[in-house]
Amino acid sequence: MVDQSTPTTLSQLSAAPTIQTVDLSRVYRTGKMGKTLTALDNVNLTIQRSELFGLLGRNGAGKTTLIKILTTLLAPTSGKAFIDGMDVMKHVIAVRRRIAMVSGGEQSGYGVLTVREQLWMFAQFYGVPSREAHRRIDELLAAVSLTEQAHQKVFALSTGMRQRVNLCRALVSNPQILFLDEPTVGLDVEAARSVRDYIRAWMQQDARRTVLLTTHYMFEADELCDRVAVIHHGHIVAQGTTSDLKHQHEEHARFQLQLAEWTPAFVERLRASDGVVDIQAEMRQGRTELSLALSSEEKIVPTIAMLSEVGGRVLSVQRIEPTLEEAFVRLVGDAAGETRPEDQL
């Protein structure tokens, strides 16, 4: 960690994690009786440059509280948070020059302005030179398919278009670190896909860029993120790649087998076989599709050998990969929501 009275030097910037929290906590007072609510409890995260990192959790898990602290909008109760090695509480201006933030469902600035006017205004807030601002605005509008709406009033845009304007507004300053807090909340499928596609393309344009994405949509995290952390009641309960989390928290290894024929004897032998947890069989076009849940992946070899011994001709074997949502459910004890309301904390 680097924490000085002046902004970080280039050599220190390259050595420090892009985002880091150390025993970060935030406690809210909830009433006059001295009751408190712990939104974050000793959160420790390290995110390196060029990572697209996902923070997963249910509504109220603490995702938005963490984002607000990292973007200098909220003070922690205890612990530290650093952006490029700089303490977010001590170097507010320097941190804000490096970052941008997009929240799902937020207002798109000033609705009476046109799209171009609004983006131009925010470019001026960040001191972007005029010629460069116009170039960036044209590029961003083309990238998110809003060129035809450039001179349309923001209030007249659809929800999906306004969210794409929000994304352009955040990127017009060319930030190195982008915070995305539920960026696709409330969007239809096409608009959400457009936002995800551009986030991915934006990351690929510059290896120095870093994104912290909060979401409770498991498919979104699986599609976008290099690594993820799961937060539950203010605690980080798991971290790793999405593949790591899916396999580490897989309850059973699942396989789909196709057999040339099927007899009740197969079922009896399978149910008695070591490691077979569950069997589902279905006849399709004269062949049998067999779904197996096994206690471990290695059990598939003796299971297939046993089928061959009793005359079962296996035509194909497919490993059914676990999903991130299944891992999430095992970690936090509840399914990821699909109603997509905003986090409250």
Side-chain angles (χ1 to χ4, degrees):
M1 294 177 296
V2 179
D3 183 19
Q4 304 186 130
S5 58
T6 56
T8 328
T9 65
L10 288 177
S11 61
Q12 291 165 337
L13 177 62
S14 62
T18 304
I19 300 170
Q20 186 177 26
T21 68
V22 180
D23 297 332
L24 192 68
S25 297
R26 172 67 195 198
V27 178
Y28 292 94
R29 293 192 177 277
T30 60
K32 297 180 180 179
M33 303 301 293
K35 293 183 179 180
T36 60
L37 174 65
T38 301
L40 297 176
D41 190 359
N42 292 312
V43 170
N44 290 282
L45 284 177
T46 299
I47 302 172
Q48 302 296 343
R49 193 163 308 282
S50 80
E51 275 197 289
L52 204 166
F53 191 92
L55 186 63
L56 315 181
R58 295 181 297 177
N59 291 330
K63 303 189 302 296
T64 297
T65 293
L66 180 58
I67 287 282
K68 286 181 177 179
I69 292 173
L70 291 171
T71 55
T72 75
L73 299 177
L74 184 68
T77 304
S78 62
K80 296 283 188 177
F82 301 89
I83 298 293
D84 281 341
M86 296 181 295
D87 189 317
V88 299
M89 295 298 295
K90 296 180 180 180
H91 305 301
V92 174
I93 300 302
V95 166
R96 289 182 178 179
R97 286 178 180 145
R98 285 171 161 81
I99 68 174
M101 176 180 174
V102 178
S103 293
E106 70 177 311
Q107 295 295 320
S108 302
Y110 301 92
V112 296
L113 299 179
T114 68
V115 171
R116 177 171 286 279
E117 288 170 342
Q118 177 129 259
L119 296 179
W120 167 258
M121 178 182 68
F122 278 94
Q124 299 315 291
F125 289 163
Y126 281 91
V128 181
S130 179
R131 181 176 297 180
E132 178 65 13
H134 283 301
R135 185 193 67 78
R136 290 184 191 175
I137 290 169
D138 288 340
E139 180 182 287
L140 287 167
L141 292 178
V144 298
S145 304
L146 286 177
T147 300
E148 294 183 2
Q149 287 76 31
H151 300 289
Q152 190 172 340
K153 300 285 188 183
V154 173
F155 76 83
L157 299 177
S158 68
T159 300
M161 288 181 179
R162 287 198 299 272
Q163 186 65 345
R164 281 181 274 166
V165 172
N166 285 339
L167 184 59
C168 293
R169 184 205 67 209
L171 298 181
V172 75
S173 63
N174 193 29
Q176 290 302 300
I177 305 166
L178 181 61
F179 293 90
L180 299 173
D181 189 18
E182 306 283 0
T184 59
V185 66
L187 301 187
D188 61 35
V189 173
E190 185 176 352
R193 183 183 297 118
S194 178
V195 169
R196 289 195 298 271
D197 287 347
Y198 190 68
I199 291 167
R200 191 183 297 107
W202 182 79
M203 285 286 291
Q204 293 171 350
Q205 290 169 5
D206 189 336
R208 296 171 297 175
R209 291 171 174 168
T210 305
V211 170
L212 175 56
L213 166 74
T214 74
T215 184
H216 56 259
Y217 305 155
M218 300 301 107
F219 73 92
E220 189 165 83
D222 210 0
E223 179 181 329
L224 288 175
C225 296
D226 302 310
R227 291 192 302 131
V228 297
V230 177
I231 187 168
H232 186 52
H233 295 319
H235 296 272
I236 300 296
V237 296
Q239 292 187 58
T241 66
T242 57
S243 178
D244 288 342
L245 262 63
K246 286 187 286 189
H247 287 94
Q248 288 170 6
H249 300 280
E250 182 181 28
E251 185 175 13
H252 304 299
R254 293 177 297 168
F255 291 87
Q256 191 82 21
L257 279 64
Q258 189 177 75
L259 306 181
E261 62 282 316
W262 178 255
T263 70
F266 293 172
V267 178
E268 294 175 8
R269 289 294 300 272
L270 281 171
R271 291 196 189 282
S273 298
D274 180 49
V276 176
V277 178
D278 187 43
I279 308 168
Q280 300 292 330
E282 183 177 353
M283 293 295 297
R284 287 188 178 178
Q285 299 178 344
R287 292 178 177 176
T288 298
E289 288 191 358
L290 190 65
S291 298
L292 290 180
L294 305 179
S295 59
S296 67
E297 189 167 358
E298 293 74 18
K299 296 293 183 180
I300 188 62
V301 175
T303 299
I304 292 176
M306 185 279 297
L307 279 171
S308 298
E309 289 175 5
V310 296
R313 188 156 57 95
V314 179
L315 302 177
S316 65
V317 179
Q318 181 182 1
R319 174 71 153 91
I320 306 301
E321 290 300 313
T323 67
L324 189 57
E325 183 165 355
E326 289 170 340
F328 183 89
V329 170
R330 290 183 62 78
L331 283 164
V332 306
D334 196 2
E338 292 299 329
T339 57
R340 308 193 177 193
E342 276 277 65
D343 279 2
Q344 297 302 309
L345 295 175

